[in-house]
Amino acid sequence: LAAVSEIPERAHEIAANGAHTAGLRLPRPAAGDPPAGYDTEVELPLRDEAAVDAVRSQLADLDPTLLLSLPGLTDVVVYAGGTERRLRRGGDDSGVVQLLDDERISRWVVAADSGPLDRALLEDQPVEARDRNRWSVLCALPVDDAGELTRLPDDVAGVVRAPTATDDPLSLPVVVIASYPLDAMRRRVTSGPLTDVVTREAARVLVERLATMPATPSLVTLVPSGLPGGEVDAALQDAVRSELESAHWLPSADSPGGRLRPCDAVIVPDPLVAPLAGKLPGVLPPGWSDPALVFLGARQ
């Protein structure tokens, strides 16, 4: 606190927060000018060789979804150990975001939304977080060249991001970046009413985008299955399952372009689809006889 008090630009932080001031929010001015071609340089002095090793490891684990978490970045270059690695963000006319890791390309269908928060939800938050009166969510679904849902790339960790990666696991094959409240170490999501609101909004944003994607059986991979990896994962699984139950996202064999809720859908063996379409309402097209849909209310 004494050191920070010597920085005039940070005096208001000390006045507002006192001993609860968050040190990571209080940078000192750096000496000199940024390198040629850059507007800003941030210097991070490291304590010892162990810290250097930790940073090298974190840089090696850096995945391209950082460019989704921090939308102000479009290009990241890592120089370490005499090698160079470049992460880039692009897009195409179909609205699919492309993330490039050197020559490797991953494709993502992205949906984002935000909204105001009830001030009562912020009363138990740290002082510096009480002025963040909006929730925000970005969901990114990995797709292949044909636009069908696929599993997460091997180099993308299945964890909650808030906005950068936390230690809370996420079993759904999707990147969820949301304004979750975090603990003091910024590694775990804290439980409470604010987290519940963000989870519900994340599920809504995810399923609403899913319902606009081409209706292929790959969409069923987003139906939660298996044991959750933790409290946040369990809550998000429940919320996504609830949204999927009430959303119109399943195709109809007798109404091209139409979408059904699971409770209005009927699963039949593929050879029976053609003779029953138009006679039995709600028949799903061939390829959709997945038992996961039964747990959402479809009839078999």
Side-chain angles (χ1 to χ4, degrees):
L1 288 177
V4 172
S5 297
E6 298 172 2
I7 307 173
E9 296 85 355
R10 302 270 65 87
H12 68 282
E13 296 273 2
I14 303 296
N17 303 318
H20 297 287
T21 299
L24 292 177
R25 291 165 55 86
L26 303 171
R28 292 176 176 273
D33 297 317
Y38 292 88
D39 296 320
T40 305
E41 179 179 18
V42 179
E43 297 179 357
L44 301 176
L46 302 177
R47 283 189 301 270
D48 49 32
E49 284 303 312
V52 172
D53 292 341
V55 170
R56 289 189 193 279
S57 176
Q58 291 171 25
L59 289 174
D61 292 340
L62 192 66
D63 75 65
T65 61
L66 177 70
L67 299 175
L68 299 175
S69 297
L70 305 175
L73 295 178
T74 57
D75 191 80
V76 173
V77 184
V78 178
Y79 303 96
T83 64
E84 175 183 320
R85 179 186 176 202
R86 182 179 295 270
L87 308 178
R88 289 166 289 166
R89 172 176 174 154
D92 61 23
D93 294 338
S94 65
V96 176
V97 173
Q98 295 184 10
L99 299 180
L100 291 82
D101 186 349
D102 286 336
E103 300 305 317
R104 298 187 299 276
I105 299 176
S106 59
R107 294 173 172 82
W108 304 82
V109 172
V110 174
D113 200 1
S114 64
L117 283 169
D118 188 331
R119 300 293 300 183
L121 295 173
L122 304 172
E123 291 179 354
D124 62 347
Q125 296 302 302
V127 174
E128 69 272 10
R130 293 177 192 171
D131 59 348
R132 301 173 193 166
N133 58 359
R134 296 184 66 82
W135 60 265
S136 63
V137 167
L138 184 145
C139 296
L141 298 95
V143 294
D144 60 18
D145 294 348
E148 296 204 10
L149 277 182
T150 184
R151 64 183 181 87
L152 288 178
D154 293 337
D155 59 351
V156 175
V159 295
V160 176
R161 289 159 170 80
T164 50
T166 71
D167 291 335
D168 284 294
L170 183 64
S171 60
L172 295 172
V174 62
V175 169
V176 175
I177 304 164
S179 55
Y180 279 113
L182 301 178
D183 63 11
M185 297 298 292
R186 300 196 62 77
R187 300 304 307 169
R188 303 302 296 260
V189 175
T190 58
S191 59
L194 177 55
T195 291
D196 295 342
V197 168
V198 175
T199 294
R200 288 195 297 270
E201 296 295 351
R204 177 187 61 80
V205 169
L206 178 59
V207 174
E208 285 182 356
R209 185 65 179 92
L210 183 79
T212 67
M213 295 176 64
T216 68
S218 69
L219 299 186
V220 181
T221 62
L222 207 63
V223 178
S225 61
L227 294 174
E231 183 178 351
V232 181
D233 191 30
L236 191 56
Q237 280 194 11
D238 289 343
V240 167
R241 190 177 294 109
S242 177
E243 290 287 338
L244 288 172
E245 288 174 348
S246 59
H248 293 75
W249 61 282
L250 295 173
S252 170
D254 58 358
S255 178
R259 297 292 180 104
L260 302 167
R261 295 176 301 172
C263 64
D264 299 323
V266 178
I267 300 171
V268 300
D270 287 354
L272 294 181
V273 171
L276 290 178
K279 301 179 178 64
L280 181 63
V283 171
L284 297 178
W288 286 84
S289 56
D290 194 307
L293 298 177
V294 176
F295 293 101
L296 297 179
R299 291 171 291 160
Q300 192 169 29

